[in-house]
Amino acid sequence: MKRMGMIFRAKANKALDRAEDPRETLDYSYQKQLELLQKVRRGVADVATSRKRLELQLNQLQSQSSKLEDQGRKALALGREDLAREALSRRAALQQQVTDLETQHSTLQGEEEKLTLAAQRLQAKVDAFRTKKETIKATYTAAQAQTRIGEAFSGISEEMGDVGLAIQRAEDKTAQLQARAGAIDELLASGALDDQSGMHKDDIQAELDRLSGGTDVELELQRMKAELAGGSSQQAIEGGTGQSQSQQPQDTPRFDKQ
């Protein structure tokens, strides 16, 4: 089971490595950094909002404290010492709240300054990463294009490999058909196979046909020469032939009388 798990993880890692695009990974990392920077900015805004709220409360408490002090002065001037004492007591309670709020305000202000500084540093890092990311992406794209061009020229790319295999298969089939056609022609010429269409002839028949054709040509040539020799010669030949044929019936009765 341990070995199977290791094999599965190795296969999965190899598949992920083939599917991973460094450019997409860089873009995803940049997006995550932007999200983190946005969170930091929102944190700074929240701290600033809390600080502002404390400042408003401090202003209200300080205004109430000043009002109670004036009321105590007026009460003491009117001879109402008890009212003046009560006003001063309430003012003292408000001053304690003011002190607590001022402490919280100082703390929030410090946190706000730290978050602002962190946001500025993070912004600088994000900007630097963006520049580096674009540089790496451009370099990777150029290297990828150069690799594909080199593979295309050398014929080791997948696309060119498929084209090369297709050409090789076409050449093999063509050579096979040519060899088969040549073998059939040799078998027909030797008489090992019969030509059912009657179009193919063996060597002996072809030689006989050639001689027969040559004899016909010679006979036709002699006939044309005889025609061109003149009509007189032809008539003389025909007249001589007629006399010999007409005398033969006369001689025959004479021979019979003897």
Side-chain angles (χ1 to χ4, degrees):
M1 294 298 295
K2 186 182 295 184
R3 184 179 179 185
M4 289 177 61
M6 183 177 64
I7 293 173
F8 177 77
R9 288 191 296 271
K11 296 290 186 182
N13 186 30
K14 187 175 181 180
L16 290 174
D17 186 66
R18 287 197 303 268
E20 181 183 9
D21 190 346
R23 294 167 296 185
E24 296 177 354
T25 303
L26 290 174
D27 290 336
Y28 180 75
S29 299
Y30 178 70
Q31 185 65 31
K32 286 297 182 182
Q33 291 184 9
L34 289 178
E35 292 178 359
L36 179 60
L37 179 61
Q38 190 67 23
K39 289 180 180 180
V40 173
R41 288 176 176 175
R42 283 199 297 267
V44 173
D46 293 340
V47 173
T49 302
S50 299
R51 177 182 58 79
K52 193 65 177 177
R53 187 181 299 112
L54 287 178
E55 289 178 356
L56 293 175
Q57 291 179 2
L58 282 172
N59 291 331
Q60 291 178 359
L61 291 177
Q62 289 175 356
S63 177
Q64 291 178 6
S65 177
S66 298
K67 183 178 180 181
L68 288 173
E69 184 178 2
D70 292 339
Q71 289 176 352
R73 290 179 183 276
K74 291 179 180 180
L76 187 60
L78 294 175
R80 297 293 304 271
E81 185 177 350
D82 55 342
L83 291 177
R85 185 178 291 106
E86 182 66 22
L88 292 176
S89 297
R90 292 183 179 183
R91 180 177 178 275
L94 289 177
Q95 285 297 122
Q96 184 63 37
Q97 293 181 11
V98 168
T99 302
D100 294 340
L101 288 178
E102 286 178 349
T103 303
Q104 294 180 9
H105 181 269
S106 299
T107 303
L108 288 176
Q109 191 172 7
E111 292 294 331
E112 182 181 357
E113 292 176 355
K114 290 180 181 180
L115 288 176
T116 303
L117 182 60
Q120 293 175 354
R121 291 177 178 177
L122 183 58
Q123 180 67 54
K125 289 183 178 181
V126 170
D127 294 339
F129 179 80
R130 180 181 60 187
T131 303
K132 187 175 182 179
K133 172 181 72 73
E134 295 300 328
T135 304
I136 294 175
K137 286 175 62 178
T139 305
Y140 179 83
T141 303
Q144 187 180 38
Q146 186 176 1
T147 302
R148 289 180 178 177
I149 293 173
E151 290 179 351
F153 281 141
S154 60
I156 61 175
S157 63
E158 294 182 0
E159 294 81 2
M160 296 303 295
D162 295 338
V163 173
L165 290 177
I167 294 175
Q168 184 65 37
R169 287 195 299 269
E171 291 178 350
D172 293 341
K173 289 184 179 181
T174 302
Q176 184 179 0
L177 290 175
Q178 290 176 349
R180 185 175 180 84
I184 292 175
D185 290 339
E186 291 179 359
L187 293 174
L188 289 174
S190 63
L193 292 178
D194 294 334
D195 185 7
Q196 301 297 328
S197 63
M199 298 297 293
H200 190 276
K201 298 179 181 180
D202 55 10
D203 295 339
I204 298 175
Q205 185 64 36
E207 184 67 20
L208 292 174
D209 292 341
R210 186 180 64 80
L211 293 176
S212 177
T215 303
D216 294 338
V217 172
E218 292 296 331
L219 292 176
E220 184 67 20
L221 181 61
Q222 293 296 331
R223 187 183 66 78
M224 292 177 67
K225 286 181 178 181
E227 291 179 355
L228 294 175
S232 59
S233 299
Q234 184 69 22
Q235 291 175 359
I237 293 172
E238 291 177 355
T241 304
Q243 291 177 0
S244 62
Q245 290 178 356
S246 62
Q247 289 176 0
Q248 185 175 358
Q250 294 176 2
D251 293 341
T252 303
R254 190 180 301 117
F255 178 78
D256 292 340
K257 289 179 180 182
Q258 294 176 357

